[in-house]
Amino acid sequence: MTKPPLLIDLKFSDRAAVVAALKRHFADRDVIDLGAAENAGRDLSDCRYAILWQPDADLFSRATNLDVLFSGGAGVDRVLALEGLPDAPLVRFVDPSLTRRMSEYVVLQCLYHLRQVAAYRSSQKARRWQPLPQPEACAATVGIMGLGELGRDAAAKLKMMGFNVVGWSRTAKTIDGVETFDEAGRDAFLARTDILVGLLPLTAETTGLFDLALFEKLRRGGPLGAPVFINAGRGGSQVEADIVAALDRGILGGASLDVFETEPLSAESPLWDRENVVITPHVAADSDIGALFAHVERQIARFEAGEPLEHVVGRKRGY
């Protein structure tokens, strides 16, 4: 029996990686890759599965019989916002390689600010020998907002490095060795935090959450001199004008930003010129194409065997 075809519409920057990975995956079914010119006007009505990342605007008017949608990245807010999104299960990409890379990014940025790398880079540029106080990781508390797969793994890795770690999520979560707070305890969580890490999905509740009022509630007088903000979650959760204002006023002592309200970040943004700000182009945890396709293969196999899909997004909660 012929298996139903799979549709791929992935606007990833590394097109060659997509092509190469397709040679190693989905050998048992037809794959319609909309990144290939020959598929531009192809009939998509027989497709039952789709892997999506910034798909064509008319996709769902052409692919009208989809049974399962797969997000090409860890975030799903862009997929949920698509025009004409069908009422089919949407599956998040959850993979150990993605989780590990996110934790690496978070640990790197926490250590960058703890060990005052920006200040030493400035001294190096000026050829100035100027030792600075070097607090241990155990002197600082990292507060993680978002305790899903990524947040829990980052918390474990940070604890291994010696940081104190606390966590926050909208609803109560339990993590061994980590004090956690829910919505009612948000101010208490912020008051404990020297380095704030954002790993939240983008929902109506988290849009614009990281603003000046929130930064003002972070711990004052900690070992870094002023709190630091790290965001590797979603750009829509931060108010960039407020980050600039907080930096100007000393409410924040630094920031590491991998995501932005509008991407790519405008060349006119004042964030580019800040020595105490690290900017990366949404690469904290890029999707590994091979891992993504293997994940989709496993989920399709479950679905076709009559087993429940894993990592299905709750449309109302947005993740």
Side-chain angles (χ1 to χ4, degrees), residues 126-263:
R127 304 190 178 204
R128 180 177 62 247
W129 185 274
Q130 185 177 355
L132 299 170
Q134 297 291 290
E136 283 189 76
C138 63
T141 296
V142 180
I144 300 175
M145 296 190 79
L147 298 177
E149 297 276 346
L150 303 179
R152 291 195 298 271
D153 191 72
K157 302 291 174 54
L158 287 165
K159 284 187 67 65
M160 288 175 61
M161 294 301 302
F163 286 99
N164 295 310
V165 181
V166 295
W168 178 91
S169 56
R170 186 172 57 86
T171 56
K173 298 279 180 68
T174 300
I175 302 175
D176 288 344
V178 176
E179 185 177 1
T180 58
F181 300 79
D182 59 14
E183 180 61 34
R186 190 167 77 181
D187 285 357
F189 160 83
L190 293 170
R192 294 270 301 278
T193 296
D194 299 304
I195 303 174
L196 177 65
V197 176
L199 292 175
L200 291 166
L202 188 62
T203 66
E205 290 77 20
T206 64
T207 298
L209 176 66
F210 297 116
D211 61 7
L212 190 61
L214 183 143
F215 298 139
E216 288 176 331
K217 295 176 181 178
L218 295 170
R219 181 185 176 198
R220 319 309 304 174
L224 305 184
V228 166
F229 175 51
I230 298 169
N231 193 9
R234 310 306 294 172
S237 66
Q238 68 193 22
V239 180
E240 281 153 31
D242 283 10
I243 296 174
V244 173
L247 291 165
D248 285 343
R249 293 166 52 181
I251 294 168
L252 288 177
S256 291
L257 306 173
D258 185 59
V259 292
F260 302 90
E261 293 176 80
T262 300
E263 295 180 359

Side-chain angles (χ1 to χ4, degrees), residues 6-292:
L6 168 69
L7 164 67
I8 294 178
D9 194 354
L10 296 170
K11 303 298 193 302
F12 289 164
S13 58
D14 192 351
R15 171 69 188 157
V18 175
V19 174
L22 282 174
K23 295 177 181 178
R24 305 188 302 271
H25 296 275
F26 309 115
D28 61 343
R29 70 182 70 243
D30 187 21
V31 175
I32 302 175
D33 176 14
L34 292 187
E38 62 267 23
N39 290 325
R42 185 164 170 176
D43 178 22
L44 305 177
S45 60
D46 58 346
C47 295
R48 293 296 184 267
Y49 312 107
I51 312 176
L52 308 172
W53 190 255
Q54 300 179 9
D56 292 343
D58 65 345
L59 178 67
F60 298 126
S61 65
R62 298 170 59 201
T64 55
N65 294 299
L66 294 171
D67 291 328
V68 185
L69 309 174
F70 297 93
S71 173
V76 296
D77 51 284
R78 293 185 181 183
V79 179
L80 290 173
L82 292 172
E83 186 75 24
L85 184 71
D87 186 19
L90 171 60
V91 177
R92 291 183 297 116
F93 178 33
V94 176
D95 181 78
S97 68
L98 185 150
T99 302
R100 287 192 296 267
R101 282 197 296 274
M102 179 62 81
S103 293
E104 289 168 359
Y105 176 90
V106 171
V107 171
L108 170 66
Q109 300 307 323
C110 288
L111 290 172
Y112 179 95
H113 293 284
L114 177 75
R115 300 306 298 262
Q116 303 177 75
V117 176
Y120 283 122
R121 292 290 295 168
S122 178
S123 292
Q124 180 178 339
K125 187 176 180 180
R127 304 190 178 204
R128 180 177 62 247
W129 185 274
Q130 185 177 355
L132 299 170
Q134 297 291 290
E136 283 189 76
C138 63
T141 296
V142 180
I144 300 175
M145 296 190 79
L147 298 177
E149 297 276 346
L150 303 179
R152 291 195 298 271
D153 191 72
K157 302 291 174 54
L158 287 165
K159 284 187 67 65
M160 288 175 61
M161 294 301 302
F163 286 99
N164 295 310
V165 181
V166 295
W168 178 91
S169 56
R170 186 172 57 86
T171 56
K173 298 279 180 68
T174 300
I175 302 175
D176 288 344
V178 176
E179 185 177 1
T180 58
F181 300 79
D182 59 14
E183 180 61 34
R186 190 167 77 181
D187 285 357
F189 160 83
L190 293 170
R192 294 270 301 278
T193 296
D194 299 304
I195 303 174
L196 177 65
V197 176
L199 292 175
L200 291 166
L202 188 62
T203 66
E205 290 77 20
T206 64
T207 298
L209 176 66
F210 297 116
D211 61 7
L212 190 61
L214 183 143
F215 298 139
E216 288 176 331
K217 295 176 181 178
L218 295 170
R219 181 185 176 198
R220 319 309 304 174
L224 305 184
V228 166
F229 175 51
I230 298 169
N231 193 9
R234 310 306 294 172
S237 66
Q238 68 193 22
V239 180
E240 281 153 31
D242 283 10
I243 296 174
V244 173
L247 291 165
D248 285 343
R249 293 166 52 181
I251 294 168
L252 288 177
S256 291
L257 306 173
D258 185 59
V259 292
F260 302 90
E261 293 176 80
T262 300
E263 295 180 359
L265 181 64
S266 168
E268 285 70 48
S269 171
L271 291 167
W272 287 107
D273 299 323
R274 304 284 176 140
E275 289 189 354
N276 58 347
V277 174
V278 177
I279 291 176
T280 50
H282 205 147
V283 294
D286 262 357
S287 296
D288 177 271
I289 308 301
L292 169 63

